[in-house]
Amino acid sequence: MAAKPAWLAPVVITASHWLGQELRQVEQHAGCEIEFTSSIPDGRRNARRRPIVILGADLVTRVRKPIYCGGFVVVAALDFAGPRTFGHAARISASYVIALPNAREWLVDQLLNRGRSNP
């Protein structure tokens, strides 16, 4: 039987300083390690082996093809989660669109749950 590929750390793809700080707090609350990058190609690398990919709304317009992974979340600032963000997220097959800081606990729960179910 072929070995199951090992899961890599969740990845955050954002160039926003504010979203990066918010997501560092999520990382601390979840007690897990998250990889951070501002490059979509770097974030897409090994995406299928990641339990979750978190994409900042600041870069959502730059993604041309869906990213396939364990879970795909677009994260926006509370005042940035407008109709255009939702439209772009639907176009690239994001599972969720959330706004920080309000959805911080939800994202922490997602990281904890996906970490337990994907060894």
Side-chain angles (χ1 to χ4, degrees), residues 58-69:
D58 59 309
L59 298 178
V60 74
T61 60
R62 295 184 186 173
V63 177
R64 300 292 172 230
K65 297 181 286 183
I67 296 175
Y68 299 103
C69 55

Side-chain angles (χ1 to χ4, degrees), residues 4 6-8 50-52 70-71 112-119:
K4 191 175 180 182
W7 282 92
L8 298 174
R50 298 190 186 272
I52 192 167
L112 292 172
N113 290 336
R114 290 177 192 274
R116 280 193 288 265
S117 64
N118 297 316

Side-chain angles (χ1 to χ4, degrees), residues 10 30 32 51-52 96 105-119:
C32 67
I52 192 167
Y96 302 96
E105 289 304 316
W106 179 88
L107 187 53
V108 167
D109 289 343
Q110 290 296 307
L111 289 168
L112 292 172
N113 290 336
R114 290 177 192 274
R116 280 193 288 265
S117 64
N118 297 316

Side-chain angles (χ1 to χ4, degrees), residues 3-119:
K4 191 175 180 182
W7 282 92
L8 298 174
V11 66
V12 168
I13 311 167
T14 185
S16 166
H17 179 71
W18 185 86
L19 281 175
Q21 287 181 324
E22 286 291 317
L23 291 163
R24 291 273 182 209
Q25 290 180 17
V26 168
E27 178 183 38
Q28 289 176 348
H29 283 101
C32 67
E33 188 175 319
I34 298 176
E35 182 181 324
F36 286 79
T37 183
S38 60
S39 164
I40 293 168
D42 286 346
R44 187 183 291 277
R45 191 170 294 120
N46 298 316
R48 289 187 189 272
R49 292 182 43 210
R50 298 190 186 272
I52 192 167
V53 172
I54 303 165
L55 176 66
D58 59 309
L59 298 178
V60 74
T61 60
R62 295 184 186 173
V63 177
R64 300 292 172 230
K65 297 181 286 183
I67 296 175
Y68 299 103
C69 55
F72 187 26
V73 179
V74 173
V75 178
L78 193 55
D79 59 346
F80 194 75
R84 297 185 82 196
T85 301
F86 290 100
H88 288 299
R91 176 183 57 79
I92 59 174
S93 302
S95 304
Y96 302 96
V97 177
I98 64 170
L100 294 177
N102 290 7
R104 183 182 298 142
E105 289 304 316
W106 179 88
L107 187 53
V108 167
D109 289 343
Q110 290 296 307
L111 289 168
L112 292 172
N113 290 336
R114 290 177 192 274
R116 280 193 288 265
S117 64
N118 297 316

